[in-house]
Amino acid sequence: MTGTPVIVDVHPDATEVIAAAAAAAHPRETGGLLLGWWDAGHVVVRHAVEVPDPGATTNSWSRDEPQAQAALDAALDEHQHPWLGYVGDWHSHPAPCGASSQDVTSIRRASRQYTQPLVLLVHRADSTFDHVVAHRGCTRHATTPLPPRKEHSP
Ligand SMILES: [Zn+2]
């Protein structure tokens, strides 16, 4: 963990898409891409798209690259926002645990190919989010003012 904290602003549209996809895939994992932009120490996560993995299990989900690229192209085309681009990944954990060491390793590795920080959001079984920010191969200290959870009966 180095440098000043990166602030991860996650739009409720993104958390709703992730929560719905996680619920639909349960008890298997699912995941996808985060779309947004960078702005003065912030990563803005504006949209999330799901990239289904037919081989996902209760503790793994893999990103299929051609499918991920197609999902990214479709989302960019749909939203037509000049700042919008790939800012990271998300996946669900059907268990109440946050990002694994393997999760951290893979986002760190992916971040070497980008000049700006990448975000990994993990949706946990208790409907909370864990986040990891990696920049040029290193984990960065990050904070997120995630929107408050909706109160609903169990
Ligand atoms: Zn994971």
Side-chain angles (χ1 to χ4, degrees):
M1 305 252 179
T2 52
T4 48
V6 175
I7 298 161
V8 183
D9 287 324
V10 186
H11 194 278
D13 284 357
T15 53
E16 275 167 30
V17 164
I18 293 171
H26 194 83
R28 284 201 269 267
E29 289 195 3
T30 189
L33 310 174
L34 300 174
L35 277 71
W37 56 86
W38 292 279
D39 179 29
H42 290 237
V43 186
V44 178
V45 177
R46 182 63 186 81
H47 299 284
V49 287
E50 187 180 17
V51 182
D53 169 15
T57 68
T58 55
N59 61 7
S60 80
W61 164 85
S62 310
R63 201 173 83 175
D64 176 78
E65 289 310 323
Q67 251 204 79
Q69 188 62 50
L72 178 64
D73 292 345
L76 294 179
D77 199 52
E78 180 193 340
H79 298 296
Q80 295 285 337
H81 188 299
W83 298 352
L84 209 59
Y86 171 77
V87 295
D89 290 338
W90 67 271
H91 64 266
S92 63
H93 280 177
C97 53
S100 66
S101 57
Q102 195 186 329
D103 291 339
V104 174
T105 302
S106 62
I107 195 75
R108 274 165 53 180
R109 191 176 296 144
S111 76
R112 293 196 194 118
Q113 302 168 39
Y114 294 85
T115 54
Q116 300 278 14
L118 287 189
V119 181
L120 168 67
L121 285 182
V122 174
H123 179 271
R124 300 156 35 124
D126 57 5
S127 298
T128 59
F129 282 87
D130 193 18
H131 62 276
V132 178
V133 173
H135 191 199
R136 296 185 181 280
C138 298
T139 310
R140 286 280 300 267
H141 187 55
T143 57
T144 177
L146 276 172
R149 275 199 280 155
K150 282 192 197 124
E151 297 301 328
H152 48 209
S153 13

